[in-house]
Amino acid sequence: MLIKNVSVLLGKELDFVPKTDIKIQDSRFKQIKSSIGTNTKDEFFDCEGLLLIPGFVNCHTHIGDSIGKDVVLNSSVDKRIHPVSGVKPLILKNTEKNHLASFMKYSCQSMINKGITTFVDFREGGFEGVLLLKQILSKLQIRGIILGRLEFYQGTSEIKKNKPMPKTKMNELVELLKKCDGIGVSGANENSLSVLNYYSSTPKLRAIHSSETKQSVSKSKKITGISETTRALTMKPHFLVHMTHASLNDLRSASKKTSGIVICPRANAALAEGIPDIELMKKVGCTIGLGTDNVMINSPDMFREMDYLWKVTMGIHKKRIEPKEILKMATVNGGKILNKDIGVIEIGKLADGIFINKHALDLEPMHNIHASIVHRASESNIRAVMIGGKIVHGKI
């Protein structure tokens, strides 16, 4: 594929290039320069008037709960989504698999339409839950990274006694990891240090929720005398999710011991749990990615996530944040945290991207490209979405 005369946000710093040509070969960006000659073998597109930005990397989702949109709105976090006692696991348990699959498929298609080219799902339901999502993804072109989860949660007594993982669950974990990309653990407060340490030896991607609520932070201290994040880091996670109420020391540890933190500001706000302090996270050197979290709480929309984060953070701290930094959280940083060739338009990376209509009524004139994308652009401004060099939505 040869793309001519396109504007682009190029490289890890999302530098704006007003006009260039891009050649795509074997699903990757092959050449990017001002003029590339054509030949009869090339599929040719003149993209005058379009802006190509990296495909969004949604680093944290739970699409299994697509079936429960906006249920129990006024309940606490635990009553809504706790993996044992919440309404969510009850809904998932009592929903027929084909019905659940339909709504999960709708959520995947919604993400494609909104420019999300890769998503990371913390997949509930154990082995069967992973297989269900793999079946759905086999019929779609979005790139899904599945972090499976054992249906295994320990209580306070077991955590205090530091009970290990039973042998039967160890065997289940081996089989689970054969079918997915890694593990996505619910949190340190449902696992002893012995279990978290066992998870640390698994060979694939590891991630865990941490310090999402004030209650979870205080619970860890009360039960173990150790901070929730310190305990979560025992798992040697590649990244942590939320960290909304993490302390300065927690964030410093995370910056040294993980690839980054994935924040979900709209979900935290919808659950009345506050907003993550991205200024403090940046100050201590954390790489920050964005996720839209539970579909039962939020639409999987990175445009809305960026817009909300940018404005609410400035509203709270009364300090300007460069919109480019927010856009990097939705693209470049996701690829960095996951250690994948995604989220960046540069030679050798996977050819994922979103073609934005620069002349859309809500965008023109685009005096600040990054600001326009972060707080003005929406699904309606997308002309086409490309994953691995193939147009999977719209047309150019």
Side-chain angles (χ1 to χ4, degrees):
M1 178 191 291
L2 181 59
I3 298 167
K4 301 283 286 185
N5 304 317
V6 71
S7 298
V8 64
L9 295 184
L10 192 62
K12 294 179 178 64
E13 291 304 314
L14 300 176
D15 298 317
F16 176 61
V17 177
K19 183 178 285 190
T20 193
D21 293 354
I22 300 175
K23 185 170 184 177
I24 296 167
Q25 186 176 316
D26 297 328
S27 77
R28 294 178 182 266
F29 295 112
K30 182 72 173 179
Q31 285 182 286
I32 304 174
K33 60 182 183 180
S34 58
S35 181
I36 300 174
T38 61
N39 62 57
T40 55
K41 294 182 181 179
D42 288 326
E43 187 180 16
F44 170 90
F45 297 97
D46 187 344
C47 291
E48 183 73 40
L50 297 181
L51 169 67
L52 179 63
I53 70 172
F56 292 137
V57 182
N58 189 348
C59 283
H60 184 64
T61 67
H62 294 268
I63 69 167
D65 57 24
S66 302
I67 192 74
K69 295 182 179 77
D70 300 326
V71 297
V72 290
L73 282 176
N74 296 320
S75 298
S76 68
V77 175
D78 280 350
K79 286 182 180 179
R80 292 168 77 176
I81 60 175
H82 191 278
V84 178
S85 59
V87 171
K88 172 180 169 174
L90 188 63
I91 291 172
L92 295 179
K93 182 179 179 181
N94 293 309
T95 301
E96 291 184 11
K97 291 293 183 287
N98 61 340
H99 199 197
L100 183 62
S102 293
F103 285 94
M104 290 169 69
K105 181 180 178 181
Y106 297 158
S107 290
C108 288
Q109 189 59 57
S110 175
M111 285 193 278
I112 293 171
N113 295 356
K114 293 175 174 65
I116 295 168
T117 53
T118 299
F119 74 101
V120 182
D121 198 69
F122 276 48
R123 185 69 193 108
E124 298 95 342
F127 189 80
E128 293 301 319
V130 168
L131 291 184
L132 183 63
L133 181 50
K134 285 179 73 71
Q135 178 186 344
I136 293 164
L137 290 175
S138 69
K139 301 174 184 177
L140 297 169
Q141 292 180 288
I142 192 169
R143 186 177 298 108
I145 296 174
I146 306 174
L147 300 185
R149 181 187 298 180
L150 287 179
E151 292 302 312
F152 171 69
Y153 308 99
Q154 292 177 301
T156 300
S157 176
E158 293 169 304
I159 292 170
K160 284 183 175 180
K161 294 176 181 177
N162 200 25
K163 290 280 190 177
M165 182 182 289
K167 184 68 174 177
T168 55
K169 290 296 177 181
M170 291 180 182
N171 293 336
E172 279 185 37
L173 183 59
V174 171
E175 295 305 310
L176 181 74
L177 286 169
K178 289 178 182 179
K179 296 296 182 180
C180 59
D181 302 290
I183 53 171
V185 177
S186 59
N189 287 336
E190 288 84 44
N191 296 279
S192 68
L193 283 177
S194 175
V195 170
L196 293 169
N197 187 60
Y198 185 78
Y199 280 135
S200 74
S201 65
T202 56
K204 294 186 175 182
L205 193 61
R206 298 181 297 276
I208 184 171
H209 301 81
S210 184
S211 300
E212 180 178 4
T213 70
K214 290 180 180 179
Q215 290 79 6
S216 69
V217 171
S218 62
K219 182 178 180 180
S220 180
K221 282 285 185 71
K222 183 179 180 180
I223 294 173
T224 68
I226 305 171
S227 86
E228 184 183 359
T229 297
T230 298
R231 296 181 67 244
L233 289 171
T234 303
M235 199 183 89
K236 296 181 182 177
H238 294 88
F239 65 92
L240 297 165
V241 180
H242 294 305
M243 298 291 279
T244 315
H245 296 285
S247 68
L248 177 60
N249 285 337
D250 287 338
L251 292 175
R252 283 173 174 159
S253 295
S255 71
K256 295 174 182 177
K257 297 180 179 181
T258 72
S259 298
I261 295 170
V262 173
I263 61 171
C264 309
R266 283 191 303 146
N268 296 152
L271 293 166
E273 289 298 336
I275 301 299
D277 191 339
I278 64 170
E279 283 295 287
L280 189 57
M281 290 177 181
K282 288 170 57 184
K283 186 176 180 179
V284 299
C286 296
T287 299
I288 306 171
L290 272 183
T292 59
D293 208 357
N294 303 75
V295 179
M296 70 181 290
I297 297 168
N298 281 324
S299 60
D301 190 331
M302 296 291 272
F303 287 116
R304 295 178 71 178
E305 205 71 44
M306 290 189 297
D307 182 37
Y308 180 80
L309 176 62
W310 191 45
K311 290 171 181 172
V312 77
T313 300
M314 289 190 291
I316 291 171
H317 295 290
K318 307 296 190 293
K319 182 179 179 181
R320 288 286 172 188
I321 299 169
E322 284 298 317
K324 181 192 286 189
E325 292 304 309
I326 302 294
L327 185 54
K328 285 170 71 174
M329 293 177 195
T331 55
V332 177
N333 291 1
K336 184 177 180 181
I337 288 170
L338 297 170
N339 194 28
K340 303 285 186 182
D341 289 337
I342 56 176
V344 184
I345 298 173
E346 65 180 21
I347 293 172
K349 300 293 185 181
L350 286 164
D352 300 342
I354 309 165
F355 293 88
I356 301 288
N357 178 9
K358 291 194 297 182
H359 303 305
L361 294 177
D362 290 335
L363 301 182
E364 193 174 38
M366 299 174 77
H367 295 299
N368 183 317
I369 299 293
H370 303 98
S372 292
I373 298 302
V374 166
H375 85 126
R376 294 186 188 276
S378 67
E379 177 183 352
S380 66
N381 307 134
I382 294 176
R383 181 72 63 82
V385 177
M386 176 173 68
I387 300 179
K390 295 180 180 179
I391 302 301
V392 298
H393 171 66
K395 62 182 180 179
I396 53 176

